[in-house]
Amino acid sequence: MAGGDQQAPGALHHPFKDLLELVRGPNRRQMKEHVLQSLVPLLLLAHDERPNVSQVCWDTLSSAAQFLRWYQLSGLIQHKETWRSCDCLVIHYKERADDFLGQTMAFLQNPQTPVREAAIRFLGLTARKLDQWSQDKLDAFCDSEWSRFEY
């Protein structure tokens, strides 16, 4: 999904889906962790301006939700309901909110406005559900980031 990737929309999706279908037993737990770590970047990159990249993200998210056996998320992804999917993710894995925030911060520097806007919105959705310690951490980060823009 990098830079000038001009592959067909499903070209990246099928190997990922095939890989997920092959994972069994103890390896499934390890793969589950990798799949969970891929959800936020995929949800944000689904806003990529290049339709083929966006579609690959949606297809990969669908495969990931099926692998996780997370049918509520799968239904939201099938209908491309980004913000309800994000909300569902944060509610279901609230203990990972700090990880989600950390992953999202990198997308604030994305060259594409729609991806940056998606990152900002995801930060807002996540922040609403944070405990006080995480909220303080987010506030401190935002203060340090915004200070770079002050004159």
Side-chain angles (χ1 to χ4, degrees), residues 108-129:
L108 295 175
Q109 304 298 319
N110 191 286
Q112 293 185 30
T113 301
V115 175
R116 287 193 312 271
E117 289 172 344
I120 291 167
R121 187 163 182 190
F122 184 78
L123 286 173
L125 288 170
T126 305
R128 289 189 327 205
K129 298 187 177 20

Side-chain angles (χ1 to χ4, degrees), residues 32-33 36-37 90 93-101:
K32 180 180 177 182
E33 184 60 33
L36 287 170
Q37 290 176 4
V90 174
Y93 287 102
K94 189 174 182 178
E95 71 279 0
R96 292 176 170 260
D98 287 343
D99 295 335
F100 297 155
L101 291 173

Side-chain angles (χ1 to χ4, degrees), residues 19-149:
L19 175 65
L20 292 179
E21 289 173 356
L22 292 173
V23 177
R24 302 262 188 269
N27 294 330
R28 185 173 171 77
R29 182 177 301 140
Q30 289 177 321
M31 182 58 83
K32 180 180 177 182
E33 184 60 33
H34 291 293
V35 170
L36 287 170
Q37 290 176 4
S38 74
L39 294 177
V40 170
L42 287 167
L43 282 165
L44 297 176
L45 288 172
H47 290 76
D48 194 287
E49 294 169 337
R50 296 165 293 180
N52 62 328
V53 173
S54 178
Q55 188 58 50
V56 166
C57 290
W58 285 113
D59 291 344
T60 305
L61 281 163
S62 180
S63 294
Q66 289 172 8
F67 174 80
L68 295 170
R69 298 181 182 130
W70 192 356
Y71 304 109
Q72 179 185 13
L73 182 64
S74 185
L76 294 171
I77 288 168
Q78 183 179 2
H79 292 98
K80 296 185 178 182
E81 295 189 43
T82 306
W83 306 119
R84 290 186 61 207
S85 298
C86 291
D87 227 14
C88 183
L89 177 64
V90 174
I91 290 168
H92 196 76
Y93 287 102
K94 189 174 182 178
E95 71 279 0
R96 292 176 170 260
D98 287 343
D99 295 335
F100 297 155
L101 291 173
Q103 288 181 306
T104 305
M105 296 300 181
F107 288 90
L108 295 175
Q109 304 298 319
N110 191 286
Q112 293 185 30
T113 301
V115 175
R116 287 193 312 271
E117 289 172 344
I120 291 167
R121 187 163 182 190
F122 184 78
L123 286 173
L125 288 170
T126 305
R128 289 189 327 205
K129 298 187 177 20
L130 295 178
D131 58 30
Q132 190 56 49
W133 181 82
S134 297
Q135 185 66 48
D136 292 343
K137 187 175 171 181
L138 177 62
D139 290 344
F141 178 83
C142 289
D143 288 345
S144 69
E145 283 297 302
W146 286 116
S147 68
R148 293 182 357 187
F149 297 106

